Amino acid sequence: MGAFTRADQWAVDHLMPGASFHHAHGGLLNGLVPLLHSRWGSPYAVAANIITLPASFLLSLGIAFACSRAFGLALVAAVAVEVLCKELLTRPALHDGSFHIGTFDSSFPSGHALRTVIVATAIASVWPRRGRFAAAWAIGPIALLLLAGWHTPTDLAGGVLLGGLVVGRKFRAKTPEAGRVRGR
């Protein structure tokens, strides 16, 4: 709601070398359809498009449900919260020079970041030996989303926290201690 506007503006000015704000596309359809209106004009954009592809909504939904029904349902619930937040919350304006970056007005939390956390956790839970690979992959998209100018640091932190809350609840519910506490 504005508490971190200065940090986000600093990130826009200094941490987004691959950003092309004047040609940005936002909206629900772009979030649902992988690579729709994707920009390919910089190495950061190319890398972000490829590395974040498993975190696009339709692919992440397929991966999550393939790992378990619980992960698929958790992803749907998290995306519902994400969409609700994007509709209800508006941050103070961020600018690239004098250009108002309208796509950042309602970009909190990052859906790509929250889906990245859920997909990486789902893969690690089904294939524990791939846990390190899944964790390493999760770091890549989150960093690239910032470098390519798709999201601000607070968007990414919000997405990671929301994804962490969702998968944290799933794992807490699976532990024997959690069952005993709930049974009381």
Side-chain angles (χ1 to χ4, degrees):
M1 298 303 297
F4 297 101
T5 301
R6 291 178 72 193
D8 284 341
Q9 184 61 57
W10 187 87
V12 166
D13 296 337
H14 301 288
L15 296 178
M16 300 182 178
S20 177
F21 299 119
H22 302 277
H23 304 290
H25 293 280
L28 184 60
L29 187 60
N30 287 324
L32 293 176
V33 180
L35 302 178
L36 182 67
H37 296 124
S38 293
R39 297 180 309 255
W40 300 91
S42 75
Y44 294 106
V46 171
N49 284 323
I50 294 168
I51 301 297
T52 63
L53 193 57
S56 64
F57 177 72
L58 293 176
L59 290 176
S60 64
L61 188 62
I63 293 167
F65 270 111
C67 290
S68 80
R69 182 173 176 226
F71 274 113
L73 294 173
L75 188 130
V76 169
V79 169
V81 172
E82 168 210 348
V83 171
L84 185 64
C85 287
K86 287 180 177 179
E87 289 297 318
L88 296 177
L89 302 176
T90 302
R91 82 172 73 227
L94 297 175
H95 295 86
D96 180 26
S98 63
F99 178 77
H100 171 228
I101 309 168
T103 56
F104 285 158
D105 289 352
S106 58
S107 61
F108 179 88
S110 166
H112 279 93
L114 85 87
R115 291 185 301 267
T116 295
V117 170
I118 294 170
V119 166
T121 306
I123 289 170
S125 74
V126 173
W127 297 289
R129 299 180 108 199
R130 303 285 186 249
R132 288 185 190 165
F133 171 77
W137 169 76
I139 293 167
I142 293 168
L144 286 168
L145 290 167
L146 177 67
L147 294 170
W150 291 12
H151 281 288
T152 65
T154 56
D155 294 346
L156 296 169
V160 168
L161 287 173
L162 179 56
L165 285 172
V166 169
V167 297
R169 280 191 57 79
K170 179 182 178 352
F171 282 118
R172 190 172 58 238
K174 285 175 67 172
T175 63
E177 296 81 24
R180 283 196 302 260
V181 170
R182 275 199 310 265
R184 290 184 184 173

